[in-house]
């Protein structure tokens, strides 16, 4: 078998709208296409032996063991690999249940599709599943444990930590979108101007001064003491020569900790001798220049969590420890404790496995113990100096028994330090009595406190501490989204996107939009290039200045990674025509409609799909849409439109020279077509269709027809406003038009326009696109022969897998099908082709350059215009 390609879906996609996170592996079975599983002796038995849990895969049989029924009857290896990839992830602690395997149309080649939780793990599972299947087919041994271990390591290296993950999960539960901004814990909630950001448990509301204070334990302690909050007696030193005086001042037992440390790093507790004090000082020095020396307070270690200045949760923390049974060594007790199913690798379970490190050995040495020491029955031996869960500690929820006075103290502390999310460490015999009564003290105040001890305590009630974070970031009435209009289709997407953006902008919004020629915010071009995929959409949604997003959404991006947004308010499908056929396993217009339909399926329930009623595939999308539908048509009597409006629906039609909105039996004439510059006086029908689509999309969103009409009048087609979309330049003796038409339907639109143009000679500069079908390239040659008097064939910038000679041959074949005598020539380079066209143009000529590199072509034309103006002067 051979893996041809692996794609990662990160948003709504061709395979599933609801399941955004999918791996799509294109797999060539090669000779196994002729060997289904029932022809591979012993395969099912070997698979069951190495992965017995696959017995739970019900498959299409709908019963336990269903997969093995299919294997016994005979199924193809791609199907089996789909199930293996899912099960490998489950065994690594990531349960994923969605999968499907479909043929690509090419014999033996399949798309194996399955869900994932972590992208890196999903890719690894795809490759590992193929290797495992190949080993089973060959009857060779396979190290499954190594794969499981590797996937767990990958997961821990890329997954959100418990705190970040809990906030993201809470956001998802509330239908708040999120974007992972980096590979660590920086996350954006919401879109555009309504976004907020957080990292772990610090938010964009967290005061940098407060974080700085909390990081300086000595300063924190001073501020708390000045506010009459009980703290441990102590001093801060940096010079080892001052150690003895500090120890004598505070008095044993002591706690040593670095001034700006965190997570218990560098801390030593219950230090009782001068020799231990020197060791503790040197240990803390590894983490900070200044060291805090405090009185060791006898009691229990509590963590209180305050969010938005309100008490949220409290937990009793215990360092990692074992309890003796009178017969087992400490090492044996640790091994036994790590077999507790609640303990796992990293953050995968409620508790973390206890690791043996230098700190463990130091703790044992203080009691003159080793790992071979046998503890007395019920003797507790602490293995760490601090109670962090990440080092194997445990927590018990005590939220419900915290005394009101202690709650008052903790909420006051959060305001004194100024933290929106605040973790307060307290040493006391209990929290059910006031600290003044028990002699308890506040040890530290922590910025970015961990949530795991509250989310999943070893004992007691779990607390959803992420909920108050979301309540703080998005209080009632605050929106997390911005409006999104998404535009897809075969032709007209970019012009429609630009016109919609123009209308939105004229209605007072800061609009961000993506097109096939760049990303724009307001009037500024921020990134050049074809920016119609999910990365570009995310670029706009991450911009904090954007109030409204208008996103051109092309086929390629949908197939490559899915949509860059989860939901939109309005989706526009301009048309579905034959283009890009045969690419990415999209072989028919029905397949293409499914791709474009992903955008329609992403529309929110009360949003609108704006569809072309003159295109049967668009109409089919409307029949299956799970949202409101509005149609546009060049024909007021289109039967789809008439029936739709009869039922009270909304449509836009071209009637009697007007762009008109129909709503039930009512008509609202928005603008006369001759007043819309984009339609070139009403002579370009495909531009009228674009205007209809943009008018209808903005109308159903909620803009007034008067404002839409004004915007239609002020949208001027030009190289600046609509680059590459019928940009016409007037010279003294001839005209030049630059257009991005690159498929048969686009060529037909140009042909229709040229039929209205008077010219002594129409010179066409054309090319074919290498990744199109032979018939499509021939058809472009044929249409060219029907509209041009002379044709200059040039070479496309990107040949896309073909030889230039092959493309030229197919174009010539199409040209000669119309008229063998048609005048044509071959000038490979685009710039040279343009220069040649200018050199042969006679008075009254019309040069039409159908270009894939718009900027270059426009630059050449401008240079000729500049020369002509200079000559006139």
């Amino acid at each position: 078998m051979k893996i041809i390609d692996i794609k990662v879906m990160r948003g709504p996609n061709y395979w599933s709208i609801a399941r955004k996170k999918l791996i799509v592996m294109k797999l060539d079975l090669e000779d196994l296409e002729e060997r289904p599983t029932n022809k591979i002796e012993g395969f099912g038995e070997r698979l069951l032996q190495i992965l017995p849990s696959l017995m739970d895969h019900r498959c299409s049989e709908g019963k336990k063991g269903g997969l093995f029924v299919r294997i016994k009857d005979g199924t193809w290896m791609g199907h089996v690999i789909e199930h293996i990839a899912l099960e490998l992830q489950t065994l690594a602690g990531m349960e994923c249940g969605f999968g499907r395997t479909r043929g690509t149309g090419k014999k033996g080649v399949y798309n194996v599709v399955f869900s994932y939780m972590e992208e890196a793990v999903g890719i690894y599972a795809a490759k590992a599943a193929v290797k495992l299947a190949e080993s089973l087919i060959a009857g060779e041994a396979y190290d499954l444990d190594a794969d499981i271990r590797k996937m767990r390591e990958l997961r821990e290296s890329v997954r959100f930590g418990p705190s970040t993950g809990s906030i993201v999960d809470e956001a998802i539960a509330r239908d708040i979108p999120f974007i992972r901004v980096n590979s660590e814990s920086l996350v954006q909630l919401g879109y555009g101007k309504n976004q907020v950001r957080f990292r772990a448990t610090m938010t964009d509301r967290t005061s940098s001064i407060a974080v700085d204070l909390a990081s300086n334990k000595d300063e924190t302690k001073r501020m708390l003491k000045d506010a009459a909050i009980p703290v441990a007696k102590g001093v801060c030193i940096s010079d080892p020569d001052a150690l003895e005086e500090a120890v004598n001042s505070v008095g044993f037992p002591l706690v040593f900790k670095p001034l700006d440390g965190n997570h218990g790093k560098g801390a030593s507790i219950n230090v009782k001798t001068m020799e231990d004090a020197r060791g503790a000082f040197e240990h803390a020095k590894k983490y900070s220049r200044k060291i805090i020396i405090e009185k060791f307070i006898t009691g229990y270690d509590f963590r209180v969590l305050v969010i938005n200045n309100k008490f949220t949760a409290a937990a009793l923390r215990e360092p990692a420890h074992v309890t003796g049974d009178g017969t087992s060594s400490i090492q044996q007790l640790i091994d036994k404790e790590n077999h507790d199913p609640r303990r796992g690798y990293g953050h995968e379970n409620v508790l973390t496995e206890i690791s043996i490190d230098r700190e463990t050995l130091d703790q044992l040495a203080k009691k003159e113990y080793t790992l071979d020491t046998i503890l007395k029955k019920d003797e507790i031996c602490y293995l760490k100096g601090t109670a962090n869960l990440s080092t194997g500690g445990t927590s018990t929820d005590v939220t419900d028994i915290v005394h009101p006075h202690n709650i008052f103290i903790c909420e006051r502390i959060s305001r004194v330090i100024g933290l929106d999310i605040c973790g307060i460490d307290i040493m006391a015999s209990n929290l059910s009595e006031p600290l003044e009564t028990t002699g308890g003290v506040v040890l530290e105040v922590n910025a970015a406190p961990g949530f795991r001890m509250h989310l999943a305590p070893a004992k007691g009630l779990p607390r959803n501490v992420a909920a108050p974070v979301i309540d703080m970031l998005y209080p009632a009435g605050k929106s997390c989204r911005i409006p999104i209009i998404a535009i897809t289709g075969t032709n007209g997407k970019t012009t429609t996107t630009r016109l919609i953006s123009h209308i939105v902008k004229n209605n007072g919004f800061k609009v961000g939009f993506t097109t096939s020629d760049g990303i724009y915010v307001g009037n500024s071009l921020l990134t050049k290039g074809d920016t119609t995929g999910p990365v570009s959409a995310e670029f706009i949604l991450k911009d904090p200045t954007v109030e409204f997003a208008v996103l051109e959404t092309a086929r390629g991006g949908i197939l490559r990674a899915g949509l860059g947004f989860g939901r939109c308010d309005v989706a526009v499908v301009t048309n579905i025509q034959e283009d890009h056929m045969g690419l990415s396993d999209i072989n028919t217009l029905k397949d293409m409609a499914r791709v474009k339909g992903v955008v329609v399926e992403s529309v929110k329930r009360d949003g609108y799909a704006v569809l072309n009623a003159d295109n049967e595939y668009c109409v089919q999308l409307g029949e299956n849409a799970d949202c409101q539908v509005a149609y546009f048509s060049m024909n007021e009597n289109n039967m789809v439109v008439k029936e739709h409006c009869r039922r009270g629906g909304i449509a836009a039609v071209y009637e009697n020279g007007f762009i008109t909105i129909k709503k039930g039996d009512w008509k609202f004439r928005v603008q006369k077509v001759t007043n819309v510059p984009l339609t070139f006086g009403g002579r370009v029908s495909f531009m009228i269709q674009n205007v209809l689509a943009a008018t209808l999309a903005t109308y159903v969103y909620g803009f007034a027809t008067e404002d839409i009409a004004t915007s239609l009048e002020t949208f001027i087609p030009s190289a600046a406003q609509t680059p590459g979309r019928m940009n016409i330049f007037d010279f003294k003796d001839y005209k030049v038009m630059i257009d991005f038409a690159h498929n048969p339907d686009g060529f037909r639109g140009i042909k229709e326009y040229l039929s209205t143009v008077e010219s002594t000679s129409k010179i066409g500069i054309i090319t074919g696109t290498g990744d199109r079908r032979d018939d499509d390239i021939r058809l472009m040659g044929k249409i060219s022969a029907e509209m041009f008097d002379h044709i200059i064939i040039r070479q496309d910038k990107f040949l896309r897998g073909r030889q230039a000679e092959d493309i030229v041959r197919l174009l010539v074949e199409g040209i000669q099908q119309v008229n063998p005598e048609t005048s044509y020539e071959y000038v490979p380079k685009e710039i040279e082709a343009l220069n040649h066209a200018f050199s042969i143009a006679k008075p009254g000529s019309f040069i039409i350059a159908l270009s894939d590199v718009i900027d270059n072509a426009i630059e050449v034309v401008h240079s000729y215009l500049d020369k002509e103006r200079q000559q006139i002067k």
Side-chain angles (χ1 to χ4, degrees):
M1 291 180 286
K2 181 174 71 177
I3 297 174
I4 299 173
D5 183 38
I6 295 178
K7 291 186 175 70
V8 181
M9 301 294 119
R10 303 180 186 93
N13 56 78
Y14 180 76
W15 302 97
S16 175
I17 296 297
R19 299 174 180 88
K20 302 174 184 177
K21 299 169 74 171
L22 296 177
I23 296 293
V24 181
M25 174 171 61
K26 184 180 283 191
L27 182 66
D28 188 347
L29 297 186
E30 298 181 320
D31 62 327
L32 285 173
E33 174 67 7
E34 306 301 331
R35 295 175 66 201
T37 51
N38 60 347
K39 293 185 179 181
I40 304 172
E41 187 175 350
F43 176 81
E45 290 78 4
R46 292 192 291 275
L47 179 61
L48 181 59
Q49 183 177 7
I50 196 169
L51 284 173
S53 50
L54 278 174
M55 185 61 72
D56 292 328
H57 288 223
R58 304 167 73 88
C59 205
S60 58
E61 298 294 314
K63 61 183 181 181
K64 186 173 182 177
L67 173 62
F68 287 97
V69 173
R70 293 289 307 278
I71 289 172
K72 183 178 179 181
D73 292 343
T75 188
W76 272 262
M77 198 53 62
H79 175 214
V80 178
I81 286 170
E82 165 205 322
H83 283 271
I84 293 174
L86 289 169
E87 190 59 25
L88 288 176
Q89 293 181 89
T90 298
L91 292 173
M94 294 157 280
E95 189 165 349
C96 304
F98 175 81
R100 59 178 56 173
T101 299
R102 299 288 183 268
T104 63
K106 183 178 179 181
K107 185 177 180 181
V109 180
Y110 295 84
N111 281 315
V112 179
V113 183
F114 59 88
S115 54
Y116 68 88
M117 291 181 68
E118 298 296 340
E119 183 175 312
V121 178
I123 293 171
Y124 185 93
K127 297 175 180 177
V130 174
K131 291 177 182 177
L132 174 55
E134 288 176 331
S135 295
L136 293 175
I137 292 166
E140 297 171 350
Y142 189 83
D143 189 350
L144 180 64
D145 290 339
D147 279 341
I148 303 302
R149 187 165 55 252
K150 180 63 177 178
M151 284 192 284
R152 285 181 171 177
E153 291 171 358
L154 282 172
R155 177 194 59 189
E156 290 305 308
S157 69
V158 299
R159 78 189 298 196
F160 286 132
S163 303
T164 307
S166 69
I167 297 172
V168 169
D169 289 343
E170 181 66 20
I172 293 170
R174 300 190 190 193
D175 197 29
I176 297 171
F178 80 94
I179 297 173
R180 189 170 189 168
V181 179
N182 63 12
S183 59
E184 303 300 325
S185 299
L186 183 60
V187 176
Q188 173 185 315
L189 299 180
Y191 290 151
K193 72 165 188 175
N194 292 325
Q195 67 180 268
V196 296
R197 295 177 190 155
F198 72 94
R199 179 168 57 197
T201 57
M202 285 198 296
T203 76
D204 54 12
R205 292 181 39 157
T206 303
S207 162
S208 59
I209 294 177
V211 173
D212 190 50
L213 285 173
S215 298
N216 188 322
K217 301 182 189 305
D218 193 45
E219 186 69 12
T220 298
K221 186 175 177 181
R222 184 192 63 76
M223 289 189 68
L224 296 182
K225 185 178 180 180
D226 289 349
I229 293 166
V231 295
K233 180 183 178 182
V235 296
C236 181
I237 67 171
S238 57
D239 188 348
D241 293 338
L243 177 61
E244 189 168 342
E245 182 182 347
V247 168
N248 291 333
S249 170
V250 179
F252 292 113
L254 297 169
V255 173
F256 284 72
K257 54 189 176 183
L259 177 69
D260 48 5
N262 55 49
H263 300 297
K265 294 175 182 176
S268 300
I269 65 171
N270 200 16
V271 176
K272 296 179 178 179
T273 68
M274 199 64 210
E275 182 181 352
D276 288 344
R278 292 189 185 95
F281 180 85
E282 292 303 320
H283 181 51
K285 273 291 237 182
K286 297 175 183 177
Y287 298 90
S288 177
R289 191 173 63 85
K290 292 185 176 181
I291 312 302
I292 292 177
I293 303 173
E294 290 180 341
K295 188 74 174 179
F296 176 69
I297 307 297
T298 303
Y300 295 104
D301 184 351
F302 293 97
R303 164 62 65 83
V304 176
L305 181 66
V306 179
I307 297 174
N308 202 21
N309 306 126
K310 295 178 182 177
F311 169 75
T312 301
L316 166 66
R317 302 187 296 175
E318 279 193 279
H321 63 276
V322 291
T323 303
D325 59 8
T327 60
S328 301
S329 69
I330 291 175
Q331 179 67 68
Q332 290 170 329
L333 292 170
I334 292 173
D335 293 341
K336 182 179 178 181
E337 182 66 28
N338 282 339
H339 276 95
D340 184 335
R342 294 178 301 169
R343 290 194 182 271
Y345 181 82
H347 297 308
E348 69 179 354
N349 287 341
V350 174
L351 301 175
T352 299
E353 291 176 352
I354 300 172
S355 61
I356 298 170
D357 54 17
R358 182 183 169 220
E359 186 180 5
T360 306
L361 299 177
D362 287 347
Q363 290 294 319
L364 295 178
K366 288 178 182 179
K367 301 187 72 172
E368 298 184 348
Y369 286 175
T370 70
L371 291 170
D372 296 323
T373 300
I374 296 175
L375 298 178
K376 297 176 183 178
K377 185 173 175 58
D378 298 328
E379 179 186 357
I380 296 175
C381 179
Y382 288 100
L383 304 169
K384 306 289 181 182
T386 57
N388 293 89
L389 268 66
S390 58
T391 59
T394 60
S395 67
T396 300
D397 178 71
V398 295
T399 302
D400 293 333
I401 61 172
V402 179
H403 192 278
H405 182 69
N406 292 337
I407 291 175
F408 166 73
I409 288 175
C410 292
E411 291 182 344
R412 189 162 168 260
I413 288 171
S414 74
R415 291 184 182 274
V416 168
I417 303 301
L419 286 170
D420 58 339
I421 301 177
C422 181
I424 302 165
D425 292 342
I426 296 174
M427 185 65 73
S429 58
N430 64 72
L431 289 183
S432 56
E433 298 176 82
L435 295 183
E436 291 83 353
T437 301
T438 62
V441 296
V442 175
L443 300 177
E444 291 183 10
V445 178
N446 298 276
F451 281 2
R452 183 158 68 132
M453 69 186 76
H454 308 294
L455 295 166
K459 299 177 184 176
L461 290 175
R463 305 288 173 170
N464 181 9
V465 294
V469 175
I470 298 298
D471 291 339
M472 174 181 68
L473 297 176
Y474 284 105
K478 180 178 178 180
S479 175
C480 63
R481 296 177 181 270
I482 59 173
I484 298 175
I485 297 179
I487 300 92
T488 192
T490 303
N491 293 312
K493 298 186 295 295
T494 298
T495 302
T496 303
T497 298
R498 284 179 169 277
L499 179 53
I500 290 173
S501 301
H502 180 73
I503 296 169
V504 172
K505 185 165 51 182
N506 285 353
N507 276 272
F509 288 90
K510 174 62 73 69
V511 61
F513 59 100
T514 62
T515 70
S516 58
D517 47 70
I519 299 174
Y520 296 79
V521 173
N523 296 320
S524 299
L525 171 63
L526 302 183
T527 302
K528 275 189 175 184
D530 188 346
T531 58
T532 56
V535 173
S536 303
E538 195 172 274
F539 181 103
I540 289 295
L541 299 176
K542 287 195 295 189
D543 191 307
T545 68
V546 171
E547 300 172 333
F548 201 119
V550 182
L551 307 174
E552 181 177 346
T553 308
R555 165 207 62 88
I558 297 173
L559 291 171
R560 185 171 59 253
L563 298 179
F565 52 89
R567 194 170 73 218
C568 63
D569 298 84
V570 179
V572 179
V573 184
T574 57
N575 45 65
I576 298 173
Q577 307 287 358
E578 289 194 343
D579 192 20
H580 301 283
M581 307 304 291
L583 300 177
S584 301
D585 309 319
I586 304 303
N587 300 310
T588 66
L589 279 172
K590 186 176 180 182
D591 293 338
M592 186 64 74
R594 281 190 59 204
V595 177
K596 306 296 186 183
V598 172
V599 182
V600 173
E601 292 179 68
S602 73
V603 179
K604 62 182 187 179
R605 285 287 182 89
D606 59 346
Y608 273 89
V610 173
L611 305 172
N612 188 342
D614 298 330
N615 183 283
E616 61 175 305
Y617 293 97
C618 289
V619 173
Q620 289 171 12
L621 291 179
E623 291 169 352
N624 299 313
D626 195 23
C627 62
Q628 299 185 85
V629 175
Y631 288 106
F632 64 92
S633 174
M634 292 291 287
N635 178 11
E636 181 184 13
N637 294 314
N638 178 292
M639 293 307 297
V640 173
V641 169
K642 290 181 73 173
E643 178 59 24
H644 179 68
C645 292
R646 188 189 65 78
R647 298 196 306 267
I650 300 173
V653 296
Y654 176 48
E655 56 87 27
N656 294 318
F658 282 88
I659 301 294
T660 299
I661 296 289
K662 294 188 68 176
K663 193 172 183 181
D665 294 330
W666 293 89
K667 282 185 184 179
F668 308 93
R669 283 183 169 173
V670 179
Q671 186 58 272
K672 195 171 185 179
V673 165
T674 52
N675 293 336
V676 181
L678 188 59
T679 69
F680 293 85
R683 290 180 294 160
V684 185
S685 61
F686 66 84
M687 285 297 191
I688 297 174
Q689 291 177 33
N690 295 335
V691 172
L692 287 169
T695 299
L696 185 56
T698 49
Y699 176 78
V700 296
Y701 176 75
F703 294 127
T705 54
E706 296 84 356
D707 295 329
I708 296 171
T710 300
S711 297
L712 295 181
E713 282 185 346
T714 56
F715 187 76
I716 311 299
S718 65
Q721 185 85 280
T722 55
R725 275 67 188 179
M726 293 194 66
N727 303 147
I728 298 178
F729 304 86
D730 289 314
F731 286 77
K732 179 183 176 183
D733 294 326
Y734 50 82
K735 293 185 177 183
V736 178
M737 183 172 78
I738 307 294
D739 194 87
F740 190 62
H742 58 284
N743 57 43
D745 195 57
F747 274 42
R748 291 189 189 98
I750 299 298
K751 176 186 171 184
E752 182 183 352
Y753 168 68
L754 290 179
S755 68
T756 68
V757 173
E758 293 290 336
S759 172
T760 57
S761 175
K762 293 169 185 173
I763 303 169
I765 304 173
I766 69 167
T767 187
T769 309
D771 58 3
R772 302 308 199 267
R773 298 173 303 183
D774 289 1
D775 286 346
D776 293 331
I777 298 174
R778 288 192 189 95
L779 182 54
M780 290 162 71
K782 182 180 179 183
I783 299 169
S784 298
E786 292 169 346
M787 62 177 164
F788 298 133
D789 299 308
H790 180 69
I791 299 171
I792 301 172
I793 301 173
R794 64 172 182 82
Q795 183 177 305
D796 202 349
K797 183 178 181 182
F798 303 106
L799 296 178
R800 307 188 190 193
R802 283 190 192 261
Q803 296 296 317
E805 296 78 8
D806 187 35
I807 297 173
V808 173
R809 175 182 57 81
L810 292 168
L811 286 170
V812 170
E813 287 177 7
I815 292 169
Q816 293 186 336
Q817 283 180 17
V818 176
N819 182 1
E821 303 303 318
T822 299
S823 171
Y824 71 86
E825 57 187 312
Y826 177 49
V827 181
K829 294 183 179 180
E830 179 177 40
I831 303 303
E832 292 177 1
L834 275 165
N835 288 332
H836 179 63
F838 278 109
S839 71
I840 63 173
K842 297 176 181 178
S845 295
F846 199 158
I847 300 171
I848 300 94
L850 304 181
S851 174
D852 63 322
V853 187
I854 298 303
D855 288 346
N856 290 354
I858 291 174
E859 188 176 329
V860 171
V861 174
H862 276 147
S863 70
Y864 275 90
L865 276 173
D866 290 341
K867 288 178 184 177
E868 183 175 87
R869 291 186 187 118
Q870 289 172 4
Q871 290 171 358
I872 293 173
K873 288 180 181 179

